[in-house]
Amino acid sequence: MIDLLLADDHTIFRSGIRRLLLDEPDMRVAGEARNGSEALEMVKEHRYHLVLLDINMDGRSGLEVLESIRGAAPTLPVLMLSMYPEAQYALVAVKAGANGYLPKDAEPAELVTAIRRVAAGGQYLSARAAPLVQAQLHGADERPPHQRLSTREHQIMLMLLKGLSLTQIGEEMMISVKTVSTHRTHILEKLGVASTAELVLYAVRQGLIH
């Protein structure tokens, strides 16, 4: 039996996944977390075979939570889910240590397949994402600027887009405000924008936020 931890801040989505997996005799939702902090605590306190982790949660983003999970349980398989297409986040998630990535509009059968493969120690990317990620990993990099950010820069970018201040980001990530400010400067430079306001406009144009 594959025991899953489902971490997502939308109750209806968690309920849908739970009902979907009731039809699968070899897997079950053994735990649910509404945010990153709950997910990390549950990983530390219970044994799961796989974590289904939303990349865009309130508070700490899924990428931040993934980093913490890797520190607490380095070998625990993690399958990232997102409302955004694979082209936006698949490579970022894989480079951050995810074992797989699926958009939330994937077919139920594909999600079940991905869970089984990742729980068995494999990696899963959709047929659309796999060649794109492989090309990016091997030098054929035609990604937009935001996809070339480091994992830490990407995390901070998401927090800036949520409206968090430099102080709040520093407290959340347990780094100094000066370090956050340096990362922010690098992010703006790499994206070719001059301010957080312009960063928000860039994110809207790229479909990173609505």
Side-chain angles (χ1 to χ4, degrees):
M1 178 68 70
I2 302 172
D3 285 337
L4 298 93
L5 171 61
L6 174 57
D8 191 286
D9 57 358
H10 291 95
T11 303
I12 293 176
F13 181 79
R14 295 198 310 272
S15 177
I17 295 294
R18 189 169 59 249
R19 287 197 301 270
L20 169 66
L21 298 186
L22 286 176
D23 294 330
E24 304 302 325
D26 61 335
M27 61 184 70
R28 65 184 177 186
V29 176
E32 295 185 31
R34 296 169 297 177
N35 54 53
S37 297
E38 284 188 3
L40 185 57
E41 287 302 312
M42 295 177 76
V43 164
K44 292 177 179 178
E45 294 175 1
H46 305 282
R47 182 179 180 274
Y48 300 100
H49 299 111
L50 181 144
V51 179
L52 281 177
L53 180 62
D54 184 16
I55 205 169
N56 188 32
M57 294 187 290
D58 287 336
R60 301 181 68 193
S61 74
L63 291 173
E64 293 176 76
V65 178
L66 175 61
E67 183 178 26
S68 297
I69 288 175
R70 282 289 161 259
T75 61
L76 177 61
V78 177
L79 176 60
M80 302 291 291
L81 301 173
S82 174
M83 62 185 291
Y84 299 113
E86 299 99 319
Q88 298 284 10
Y89 285 113
L91 179 62
V92 175
V94 170
K95 290 178 70 174
N99 303 88
Y101 180 97
L102 270 184
K104 286 186 173 181
D105 62 357
E107 292 296 326
E110 185 174 18
L111 174 60
V112 170
T113 296
I115 289 172
R116 290 199 177 104
R117 185 176 300 176
V118 171
Q123 187 176 69
Y124 190 88
L125 294 168
S126 73
R128 293 171 299 185
L132 177 64
V133 170
Q134 289 301 317
Q136 292 168 353
L137 288 174
H138 292 89
D141 194 347
E142 299 179 355
R143 293 173 294 162
H146 66 273
Q147 293 184 22
R148 301 178 192 177
L149 299 175
S150 69
T151 300
R152 176 54 60 88
E153 289 170 344
H154 207 282
Q155 292 170 351
I156 291 174
M157 179 188 72
L158 293 178
M159 298 173 85
L160 288 170
L161 292 175
K162 289 181 179 179
L164 273 67
S165 68
L166 300 186
T167 299
Q168 290 172 316
I169 294 173
E171 291 174 351
E172 189 76 33
M173 303 188 77
M174 293 184 289
I175 57 179
S176 70
V177 174
K178 182 178 179 180
T179 299
V180 177
S181 179
T182 299
H183 281 303
R184 176 184 176 275
T185 298
H186 292 163
I187 291 165
L188 298 183
E189 289 175 350
K190 289 182 178 181
L191 302 189
V193 297
S195 65
T196 301
E198 289 187 18
L199 173 63
V200 172
L201 292 176
Y202 173 94
V204 171
R205 289 196 300 269
Q206 293 291 334
L208 299 178
I209 59 175
H210 299 293

